[in-house]
């Protein structure tokens, strides 16, 4: 079963084309890395996938549900970690989770139970009562991932979730999300950092709004490193490039 | 049920933020109190007031501006909560709200209602301080004013919501505050009755009568005396419908201006 499927998706900001006929799918249990330099269209794609933008050109389905026709049902099956922090800094970790659970219609004892489970899975149980403001960047990100899983989605979208984190936190979060894929979740992980991608991961490469390569990381890179492959395929693109 | 759970969570979150941000509460209370105790004292001698409904006798200027100052609390809070929406959107938490699996209009209404209830609490605190100071109103007025404050607060909150949907950056918002709050407040019956304004300029008076804030203030003024001003209620309701529709359009992912690349 396909967790996430995108077909013929296009989007423009006025005359400027941001996405051009993008198609890909992420099956259940797959970690799919969406690689692209800054300005490639990753954030626009995420805004379309989460319904913050909409377009009539192309189709998005989440767990088999057509997003355009049933946006609420599709959103209910999707967990999202945005690039920008979306936590309420002045509320506790637990209160943030309960707020999000309630937005998905989960309340009372069930919400508490799910919040406890989510925090335990991310190794955050002891921080449940702390204000989010007091957490470091790595813990805040872990918490956002815990929150995105509280309604038990079929697919998880993460938009450059490791930006601004130190190497240890990046490593821990990347490992954890790979483990989630092994448990059956469809993962779409947008990044421009090639060291977060494993050889067995599926990679789709977005460049100047178009999908220019797709396949396993090992297959795409061949004998070269993924970083060199990425730079070669996106050469001429300004931005930070790969690390 | 899911809708009510979400509404309750949004109200709870706003209540927690309200409790956590006491300085915001004090600032919102100090503003109208300064107007009441300083500005009104200075103006009392300069501005004569005739007997007009709902008043049945001569009143002091302090009594006259009480409804306008309640309106001021609603106006500033409506704008401040929309400012927080712009801030939220920049910071990302608005994204979280808008990607919840609920109708967008319900999510925005919940946010609007939460902000308005906080405003009503601030109006209650303001009226309590005024009563302690000796500016007392009929007891029934304190009850009847609640729906008037709710309707007016929703209308002004919807105006803020509409503005926030069309404004991308906080810097731009600061400019709009100057072009919205001050004209709305001064071109209204909050500080002077419209017949006074007509003496100065009939055109300005006409502008005041078109200003939905004038009608919000008059709705509150009559309600504080246990009376219904149906024409004012109608104006405020129509303005609420127009601002809400524009806000929904602004937050519609297919048609709104949010899609502009920042």
């Amino acid at each position: 079963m396909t967790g996430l499927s995108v077909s013929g998706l296009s989007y423009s900001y006025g005359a400027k084309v941001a996405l051009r006929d993008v198609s890909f799918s992420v099956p259940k249990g797959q970690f799919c890395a969406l690689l692209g330099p800054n300005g490639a269209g990753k954030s626009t794609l995420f805004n379309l996938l989460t319904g913050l933008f909409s377009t009539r050109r192309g189709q998005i389905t989440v767990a088999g549900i057509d997003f355009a026709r049933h946006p609420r049902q599709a959103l209910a099956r999707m967990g999202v970690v945005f690039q920008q922090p979306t936590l309420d800094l002045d509320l506790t970790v637990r209160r943030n989770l309960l707020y999000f659970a309630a937005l998905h219609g989960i309340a009372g004892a069930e919400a508490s139970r799910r919040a406890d489970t989510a925090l335990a899975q991310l190794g955050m149980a002891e921080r449940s009562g702390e204000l989010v403001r007091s957490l470091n960047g790595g813990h805040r990100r872990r918490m956002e991932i815990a929150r995105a899983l509280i309604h038990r989605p079929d697919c998880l979208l993460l938009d450059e979730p490791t930006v601004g984190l130190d190497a240890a936190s990046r490593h821990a979060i990347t490992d954890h999300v790979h483990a989630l894929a092994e448990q059956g979740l469809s993962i779409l992980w947008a990044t421009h950092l090639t060291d977060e991608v494993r050889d067995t991961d599926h990679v789709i490469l977005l460049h100047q709004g178009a999908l220019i390569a797709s396949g396993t990381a090992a297959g795409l890179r061949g004998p070269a490193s993924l970083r060199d492959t990425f730079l070669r395929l996106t050469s001429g693109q300004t931005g930070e490039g790969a690390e | 049920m899911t809708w009510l759970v979400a509404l309750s969570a949004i109200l709870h979150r706003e209540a927690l933020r309200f409790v956590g941000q006491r300085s915001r509460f004090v600032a919102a209370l100090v503003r109208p109190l300064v107007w009441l105790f300083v500005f009104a004292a200075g103006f009392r001698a300069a501005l004569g007031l005739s007997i007009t409904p709902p008043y049945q006798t001569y009143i002091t200027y302090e009594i006259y501006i009480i409804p306008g100052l309640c309106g001021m609390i609603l106006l500033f809070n409506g704008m401040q909560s929309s400012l927080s929406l712009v801030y939220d959107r920049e910071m990302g938490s608005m994204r979280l709200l808008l990607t919840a699996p609920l109708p967008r209009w319900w999510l925005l209404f919940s946010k609007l209602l939460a902000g308005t209830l906080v405003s009503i609490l601030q109006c209650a605190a303001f009226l309590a301080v005024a009563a302690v100071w000796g500016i007392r109103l009929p007891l029934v007025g304190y009850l009847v004013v609640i729906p008037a404050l709710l309707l007016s607060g929703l209308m002004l909150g919807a105006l803020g919501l509409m503005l926030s949907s069309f404004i991308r950056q906080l810097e731009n918002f600061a400019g709009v505050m100057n072009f919205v709050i001050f004209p709305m407040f001064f071109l209204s019956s909050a500080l002077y009755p419209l017949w006074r304004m007509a003496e100065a300029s009939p055109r300005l008076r006409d502008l005041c009568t078109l200003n939905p804030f004038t009608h919000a203030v008059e709705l509150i003024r009559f309600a504080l005396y246990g009376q219904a001003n149906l024409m004012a209620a109608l104006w405020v309701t129509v303005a609420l419908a127009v601002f809400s529709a524009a806000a929904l359009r602004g937050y519609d992912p297919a048609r709104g201006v949010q899609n502009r690349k920042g």
Side-chain angles (χ1 to χ4, degrees):
Chain A
M1 181 185 157
T2 301
L4 176 68
S5 173
V6 171
S7 161
L9 201 64
S10 298
Y11 192 81
S12 303
Y13 296 101
K16 185 177 181 300
V17 177
L19 284 179
R20 193 180 306 115
D21 198 24
V22 171
S23 300
F24 64 90
S25 62
V26 187
K28 188 172 158 59
Q30 185 179 79
F31 185 105
C32 178
L34 171 64
L35 273 178
N38 292 338
K42 299 192 297 293
S43 291
T44 301
L45 177 59
F46 262 75
N47 283 329
L48 287 166
L49 292 176
T50 54
L52 289 170
F53 291 3
S54 71
T55 177
R56 288 182 182 166
R57 291 173 290 165
Q59 188 185 34
I60 298 166
T61 60
V62 181
I65 300 164
D66 183 349
F67 199 109
R69 294 178 65 184
H70 306 288
R72 279 145 53 193
Q73 287 91 327
L75 283 169
R77 308 293 286 273
M78 181 193 291
V80 188
V81 176
F82 290 105
Q83 187 177 346
Q84 293 168 309
T86 56
L87 297 167
D88 198 323
L89 300 182
D90 295 316
L91 298 184
T92 64
V93 169
R94 188 181 176 74
R95 181 55 61 191
N96 265 281
L97 293 187
L98 293 178
Y99 172 66
F100 180 79
L103 291 181
H104 282 259
I106 307 161
E110 177 65 10
S112 289
R113 202 173 54 75
R114 290 199 191 194
D116 291 340
T117 307
L119 288 173
Q121 279 176 350
L122 271 287
M124 297 271 297
E126 73 282 3
R127 298 187 182 274
S128 157
E130 290 183 23
L131 287 182
V132 172
R133 192 177 289 283
S134 68
L135 301 182
N136 65 34
H139 282 130
R140 288 184 192 183
R141 271 305 188 198
R142 274 203 235 178
M143 206 203 123
E144 286 193 286
I145 294 170
R147 187 181 59 184
L149 298 171
I150 210 164
H151 58 296
R152 296 178 184 151
D154 293 288
C155 73
L156 181 62
L157 315 183
L158 305 101
D159 187 6
E160 306 203 9
T162 57
V163 165
L165 301 185
D166 60 38
S169 296
R170 279 182 54 206
H171 191 69
I173 286 175
T174 310
D175 278 354
H176 179 73
V177 176
H178 274 93
L180 290 172
E182 286 161 17
Q183 289 165 27
L185 229 62
S186 306
I187 307 285
L188 182 66
W189 175 284
T191 187
H192 60 267
L193 308 174
T194 53
D195 64 345
E196 294 175 349
V197 183
R198 294 178 182 170
D199 267 354
T200 52
D201 292 340
H202 191 83
V203 172
I204 50 179
L205 188 50
L206 200 60
H207 180 48
Q208 294 177 340
L211 201 63
I212 57 169
S214 173
T216 62
L220 276 182
R221 72 178 177 83
S225 71
L226 185 59
R227 177 180 180 277
D228 289 343
T229 306
F230 176 76
L231 289 174
R232 178 172 54 79
L233 291 170
T234 59
S235 58
Q237 171 73 24
T238 53
E240 289 174 25
E243 285 179 15
Chain B
M1 184 61 188
T2 303
W3 294 26
L4 291 179
V5 169
L7 170 66
S8 151
I10 292 166
L11 294 179
H12 190 201
R13 177 176 182 256
E14 198 68 29
L16 288 174
R17 284 162 69 97
F18 173 66
V19 171
Q21 297 176 354
R22 287 191 192 86
S23 57
R24 189 179 137 196
F25 176 68
V26 170
L29 198 55
V30 163
R31 193 181 300 117
L33 287 175
V34 166
W35 279 79
L36 183 63
F37 298 142
V38 180
F39 181 85
F43 258 56
R44 189 192 303 165
L47 198 70
L49 297 170
S50 69
I51 301 171
T52 52
Y55 308 112
Q56 293 173 334
T57 179
Y58 282 105
I59 51 161
T60 62
Y61 186 61
E62 284 91 336
I63 286 194
Y64 179 80
I65 66 167
I66 286 281
L69 295 181
C70 285
M72 175 195 249
I73 292 173
L74 299 176
L75 178 64
F76 271 83
N77 268 17
M79 294 301 133
Q80 198 154 14
S81 61
S82 63
L83 176 79
S84 84
L85 286 176
V86 176
Y87 181 74
D88 270 0
R89 206 163 68 219
E90 288 198 346
M91 294 302 289
S93 63
M94 193 63 179
R95 284 168 176 255
L96 194 71
L97 191 69
L98 296 180
T99 52
L102 286 167
R104 193 157 285 195
W105 69 265
W106 178 254
L107 294 165
L108 293 174
F109 168 75
S110 302
K111 187 98 177 151
L112 195 58
L113 182 64
T116 304
L117 292 179
V118 167
S119 298
I120 292 176
L121 284 178
Q122 290 178 341
C123 284
F126 167 70
L127 289 173
V129 174
V132 169
W133 192 257
I135 304 170
R136 296 201 173 91
L137 301 157
L139 275 180
V140 66
Y142 289 111
L143 280 180
V144 176
V145 80
I146 293 172
L149 291 174
L150 183 66
L151 187 63
S152 303
L154 286 174
M155 184 270 285
L156 294 167
L159 171 65
L161 198 61
M162 179 189 84
L163 293 173
S164 77
S165 72
F166 290 96
I167 297 163
R168 286 195 59 85
Q169 293 173 331
L170 287 173
E171 292 77 11
N172 296 344
F173 197 82
V176 168
M177 295 280 277
N178 281 334
F179 287 102
V180 174
I181 286 192
F182 292 124
M184 273 197 107
F185 186 63
F186 290 115
L187 282 173
S188 78
S189 58
L191 297 178
Y192 16 75
L194 292 190
W195 66 264
R196 272 286 188 184
M197 185 62 103
E199 283 178 359
S201 161
R203 278 191 184 171
L204 278 181
R205 191 270 318 272
D206 293 343
L207 271 179
C208 291
T209 55
L210 289 175
N211 180 358
F213 185 70
T214 295
H215 299 284
V217 170
E218 291 311 306
L219 183 66
I220 295 166
R221 189 185 309 284
F222 278 73
L224 279 170
Y225 288 85
Q227 298 174 33
N229 185 331
L230 294 180
M231 185 50 77
L234 182 67
W235 261 92
V236 174
T237 306
V238 168
L240 169 61
V242 170
F243 295 151
S244 300
L248 275 175
R249 188 182 170 83
Y251 276 98
D252 182 338
R255 290 183 295 187
V257 291
Q258 287 187 96
N259 300 26
R260 288 182 308 206
K261 194 157 176 69

